[in-house]
Amino acid sequence: MLLQYRHGQDAKHDALHVLGDACYGTPHTHQTTLAVVPMACLPAGGHEYTTWLSTAPCETGVLEGVAYHYTEHLLFGAMSIAEHDFVPNAQASALQQASALAYQRLFAVMRHTSFNQLVRCWNYLPGINVDGGGLERYRQFNIGRQDAFIAARRDHLEGAPAACALGTGEGDLVLYFMAAHARPRPIENPRQVSAYRYPDRYGPRSPTFSRASLLELPGCEALFISGTASIVGHESVHLGDVKAQTEETLRNIEALIAQANLKSHVGGYSTQALEMKVFLRDPADQALVASVLRQHLGCEPRAFYLQADICRVELLVEIEAVGLRSKT
Ligand code: 3EB
């Protein structure tokens, strides 16, 4: 099976099957999309689709509000959860409960379909930096997410999936994910403390993700680079300087590429060939960040830009990426 990843206005393909897709912005009303993420595309607005295509046909299903597509080797699932359906109590805020439930449902789909390995999670929550009654909402999300991993006896330290967590302006909690039969190889960044080992000044529970994951499939290998920002060790660096933050982020991505090439059976990953999503806190930074990327790569980046809040208030930019290598 061959896996392809595209982004653009409409990435449908005659000869390939859609394993999964997500629309950033407002989708065409005539198009059914598994995940819709309410985020502004930069610089011009509109929408952008990301689409995972497969040479193998897909089966589909729905379980507990999670819609999913799968081939023999890979599953793509998506859900959205309304936080206002939850009643905060002394133990947990509504967002913490919604986050835990989202992951319980994700794990239910994995059990139901026997796709036992979680590879990559995309998390979108409204008001990520907002104080939710004494605790920042991102930190509440981290509690719910980690609780669900522990309750389901899933690896929440080494072996956690690659992930990103970004803030939207409004709407529901949106989560989409990929799972596989084969166990992905987790990759950490030697320049950074593993996120699952962050000290508790970043919140009562650490975020549950690996810096990247490497998945072998028949005929190809996929590298999922998690949301990556200007963090060295566990500290945010270059406060207030979006250019320096972008350069530091790119050094972190280079370090992950180097680790991936060491761990890969195929090798040959390069930053130039990555498909990137770039999240900017301030839309006004788009042109500058694009020029830093172009300068660093020495070519036109394969990237698109979105306005989003990043999970630490001082971070101005975050980049995630996908690399695909054919085995032949
Ligand atoms: C960081 O390195 C920046 O909570 O799933 C990046 C990727 C970040 C994933 C997550 C958070 C997450 O800590 C933030």
Side-chain angles (χ1 to χ4, degrees), residues 12-27:
K12 299 283 183 285
H13 191 286
D14 289 345
L16 297 169
H17 306 269
V18 176
L19 171 65
D21 58 359
C23 179
Y24 293 79
T26 311

Side-chain angles (χ1 to χ4, degrees), residues 123 138 142 145 163-165 198 207 209 211 226-227 231 311 315 318:
N123 304 286
Y138 174 57
N142 276 323
R145 173 170 58 174
C164 57
Y198 279 165
F209 71 95
R211 296 298 181 186
S226 293
I231 295 174
C311 61
L315 293 175
E318 181 171 306

Side-chain angles (χ1 to χ4, degrees), residues 39-311:
M39 258 180 201
C41 296
L42 300 173
H47 58 245
E48 194 85 42
Y49 288 90
T50 66
T51 308
W52 295 91
L53 297 159
S54 159
T55 48
C58 301
E59 309 281 334
T60 69
V62 180
L63 183 75
E64 295 181 28
V66 183
Y68 56 91
H69 290 186
Y70 60 101
T71 64
E72 193 186 345
H73 302 284
L74 266 178
L75 178 140
F76 181 105
M79 72 187 94
S80 99
I81 292 186
E83 190 180 328
H84 57 67
D85 289 346
F86 297 82
V87 182
N89 59 42
Q91 283 76 44
S93 67
L95 177 60
Q96 182 185 323
Q97 293 175 49
S99 308
L101 184 73
Y103 275 88
Q104 285 160 25
R105 290 182 172 175
L106 180 163
F107 293 132
V109 168
M110 289 174 62
R111 276 194 307 275
H112 180 77
T113 57
S114 312
F115 281 86
N116 244 314
Q117 304 293 332
L118 187 53
V119 178
R120 177 50 161 119
C121 294
W122 288 263
N123 304 286
Y124 301 101
L125 42 145
I128 196 167
N129 300 130
V130 173
D131 183 328
L135 193 62
E136 185 193 28
R137 284 167 53 80
Y138 174 57
R139 299 176 180 205
Q140 298 176 3
F141 164 79
N142 276 323
I143 302 174
R145 173 170 58 174
Q146 197 198 74
D147 276 347
F149 271 78
I150 291 170
R153 299 174 188 279
R154 300 277 172 180
D155 293 334
H156 71 287
L157 302 169
E158 193 183 348
C164 57
L166 280 309
T168 56
E170 51 169 17
D172 294 340
L173 180 64
V174 175
L175 200 174
Y176 69 92
F177 63 98
M178 282 172 74
H181 296 305
R183 183 192 286 273
R185 262 161 297 158
I187 289 171
E188 289 301 299
N189 182 346
R191 306 180 79 236
Q192 295 183 316
V193 172
S194 294
Y196 48 75
R197 306 238 186 250
Y198 279 165
D200 61 12
R201 58 181 257 210
Y202 301 103
R205 302 288 189 81
S206 297
T208 305
F209 71 95
S210 294
R211 296 298 181 186
S213 65
L214 202 50
L215 182 69
E216 245 188 285
L217 293 163
C220 73
E221 194 186 59
L223 171 64
F224 299 87
I225 295 185
S226 293
T228 303
S230 180
I231 295 174
V232 177
H234 55 71
E235 263 161 315
S236 309
V237 294
H238 314 300
L239 305 193
D241 184 344
V242 72
K243 181 170 186 282
Q245 286 198 14
T246 306
E247 287 161 349
E248 198 69 54
T249 299
L250 289 166
R251 281 191 283 278
N252 281 326
I253 289 175
E254 298 286 359
L256 288 169
I257 291 281
Q259 291 299 306
N261 283 327
L262 287 174
K263 280 209 171 188
S264 167
H265 295 286
V266 185
Y269 292 101
S270 74
T271 325
Q272 282 73 22
L274 293 176
E275 292 283 353
M276 294 185 282
K277 246 193 238 105
V278 182
F279 298 95
L280 300 172
R281 187 178 291 279
D282 184 351
D285 291 335
Q286 195 269 335
L288 175 58
V289 170
S291 79
V292 173
L293 247 70
R294 210 174 289 121
Q295 185 92 39
H296 181 96
L297 299 180
C299 63
E300 198 52 39
R302 300 157 172 266
F304 72 96
Y305 299 82
L306 294 158
Q307 194 285 317
D309 293 334
I310 296 153
C311 61

